[in-house]
Amino acid sequence: MRVLLIGANGYLGRFVADRLLADPAVQLTALGRGDDADVRFDLASGSPGALTRFLDAVHPGVVVNCAGATRGGARELTRHNTVAVATVCEALRRSGCGARLVQIGCGAEYGPSQPGSSTAEDAVPRPGGPYGVSKLAATELVLGSGLDAVVLRVFSPAGPGTPAGSPLGRLAEAMRRAMQSGDGELKLGGLGVQRDFIDVRDVARAVHAASLSAAQGVINIGSGRAVRLRDAAAILARVAGYGGALHELDGPPGPPLRATIGHPRSEPDHAAPVAYPYPDGCGSWQQADVRTARDRLGWRPRINLEESLADIWMEAACRI
């Protein structure tokens, strides 16, 4: 099977590339903006015609699109997340290769959800920010393209390679600095939000499975369990060996959260909005219903959050 991977140098794309290369039946070609791509091409500025000519030359059976932007203004997000996908869809329609498209979407397309609920693929998307809007527009383009296509809505990826600017990345960096300076306490905000974290290597397995399947439409990729960020912080403190106290700047009154707490509290999982909102526009709660991925892809998550956080910490601890 010849696979064209777009965005192989990105956070998700690197692990998808590793997973596909591990399959001896896959012949992988990487397309991207970096010098180490097999073919250099910028989806946001390149023409559908140029991409069509390349598709006709390579003739892939599957195109996986991991390219996109997570940060920036509305114009930049639209260019990299929506216009780029329009280029891919148009090029595939013009090409004679007949390739299947696996598009990487995101849980931010759904927007805020009711605390305690699991979001299924038939939920009405109401993105709460420009990033979610740009990704939802891309999903609609794919679904309306008439192509053999599937969109994997990835919830909150974690694990090795987690960007330093992401919430978990910032948390690890703050803890590293506290340990380096000998601080006995760490003050953090926004720990009340709950997110469905999924290891990036499990995401890569889902992409591989989707490439081989005939599934179409939208499929959620998550762990199926929301975790409060304060509990993720406690797990991270434990794997890092940080013995100080974690103070919540916007949490409920009471004693500081000790680093030894590593499991969810017994309080109800219905968090109120926090003073420092999580940057994905999804409010205080998000949890995926992942039954479709199990039923249509034969996929289940394998890597638990503690392992993902341990890998995040290992990378943070190596920074000078």
Side-chain angles (χ1 to χ4, degrees):
M1 179 174 66
R2 189 181 297 276
V3 177
L4 174 64
L5 175 59
I6 305 172
N9 296 323
Y11 172 38
L12 296 179
R14 292 195 299 272
F15 291 92
V16 171
D18 289 344
R19 179 72 188 185
L20 293 173
L21 287 169
D23 183 346
V26 169
Q27 292 179 295
L28 185 66
T29 301
L31 182 149
R33 291 179 291 169
D35 292 335
D36 51 351
D38 295 322
V39 178
R40 292 191 65 181
F41 188 85
D42 188 347
L43 284 179
S45 59
S47 71
L51 184 56
T52 299
R53 289 190 291 274
F54 176 72
L55 290 171
D56 288 339
V58 175
H59 213 78
V62 178
V63 173
V64 177
N65 183 27
C66 293
T70 58
R71 304 174 72 180
R75 177 177 295 181
E76 184 178 5
L77 291 169
T78 300
R79 188 163 64 92
H80 289 287
N81 295 337
T82 310
V83 174
V85 173
T87 297
V88 173
C89 290
E90 180 60 23
L92 282 169
R93 279 196 297 264
R94 295 182 187 181
S95 173
C97 68
R100 171 174 172 77
L101 174 61
V102 179
Q103 165 71 16
I104 305 302
C106 69
E109 296 175 42
Y110 290 115
S113 56
Q114 183 66 30
S117 67
S118 292
T119 302
E121 290 85 356
D122 60 357
V124 177
R126 294 186 176 90
Y131 172 64
V133 169
S134 68
K135 293 294 287 186
L136 176 60
T139 292
E140 294 299 332
L141 286 170
V142 171
L143 297 181
S145 67
L147 300 169
D148 173 13
V150 62
V151 178
L152 303 183
R153 275 191 178 143
V154 177
F155 276 61
S156 297
T162 293
S166 70
L168 290 180
R170 290 197 302 269
L171 179 62
E173 178 61 17
M175 196 164 293
R176 184 193 69 80
R177 291 181 178 180
M179 294 178 69
Q180 190 175 46
S181 61
D183 289 343
E185 63 178 17
L186 187 57
K187 296 179 180 180
L188 301 166
L191 297 183
V193 298
Q194 297 178 73
R195 286 294 180 268
D196 188 328
F197 295 107
I198 179 69
D199 193 273
V200 67
R201 291 159 291 194
D202 280 333
V203 174
R205 288 179 43 247
V207 172
H208 187 205
S211 300
L212 299 173
S213 79
Q216 296 187 340
V218 174
I219 299 178
N220 289 341
I221 303 298
S223 70
R225 182 174 71 95
V227 174
R228 203 181 299 270
L229 195 57
R230 76 164 67 102
D231 296 318
I235 296 172
L236 185 63
R238 186 174 71 245
V239 300
Y242 178 66
L246 306 180
H247 289 276
E248 293 185 66
L249 297 179
D250 50 350
L257 172 66
R258 288 286 165 181
T260 53
I261 299 175
H263 299 285
R265 297 178 173 183
S266 59
E267 65 197 38
D269 287 336
H270 295 255
V274 297
Y276 304 98
Y278 207 82
D280 57 7
C282 294
S284 63
W285 171 276
Q286 195 173 53
Q287 177 174 284
D289 182 330
V290 294
R291 290 175 294 179
T292 302
R294 179 195 63 200
D295 296 342
R296 300 177 65 190
L297 300 181
W299 174 91
R300 295 175 186 268
R302 294 178 181 172
I303 300 174
N304 61 37
L305 181 58
E306 183 162 349
E307 183 176 344
S308 301
L309 290 169
D311 288 329
I312 292 173
W313 172 250
M314 184 178 296
E315 292 182 346
C318 290
R319 297 191 191 110
I320 299 175

